[in-house]
Amino acid sequence: MYIVGKLMGIKEELGKKIKRMRINRGLTQEQLSEAADISQRTLSGIEIGENFVTAETLDKLIKVLNTTSEELFATNHLRSNEEIVNEIVANLKIISQNSEKLDILYNVTKGLMKE
């Protein structure tokens, strides 16, 4: 996946996601590392994409961050709004060929506008 003109690996993506979740939950590295029973140095290395988490550490972080592995590994948040809109437009061109799918999409978007 390309992010800001460079290829980002899974270690970097996961590290950024863990850091974002930590910050969103109001935790310092020290607090998270203590709660997950890992060293602050290890957590720092994970967050900057230098180290990859072990299965055991990943399990601890998921529990402390009160998240799921699905949420943690989701990468849709890494795409820009422009990229998402371009993909939606491309999908619309395909969907527009099928009136049944187009009706479903119309009802979904109509429902989203009510929120």
Side-chain angles (χ1 to χ4, degrees), residues 17-94:
K17 186 73 177 263
I18 289 169
K19 181 177 181 178
R20 186 176 303 115
M21 287 179 160
R22 173 180 60 77
I23 292 169
N24 288 343
R25 285 156 177 78
L27 298 171
T28 64
Q29 276 188 345
E30 183 179 4
Q31 291 168 324
L32 179 56
S33 62
E34 186 175 310
D37 194 31
I38 60 175
S39 75
Q40 189 173 345
R41 182 180 177 118
T42 297
L43 178 60
S44 176
I46 291 168
E47 287 188 351
I48 63 173
E50 185 178 284
N51 301 329
F52 196 68
V53 296
T54 64
E56 182 181 348
T57 299
L58 183 60
D59 189 47
K60 290 176 181 180
L61 290 170
I62 286 171
K63 287 177 184 169
V64 173
L65 292 170
N66 193 27
T67 190
T68 63
S69 57
E70 291 84 5
E71 182 181 2
L72 193 59
F73 286 98
T75 58
N76 289 346
H77 68 283
L78 298 173
R79 297 185 301 176
S80 70
N81 285 351
E82 183 179 353
E83 289 173 306
I84 293 170
V85 168
N86 288 339
E87 190 171 331
I88 290 170
V89 169
N91 290 340
L92 282 173
K93 289 179 183 177
I94 296 167

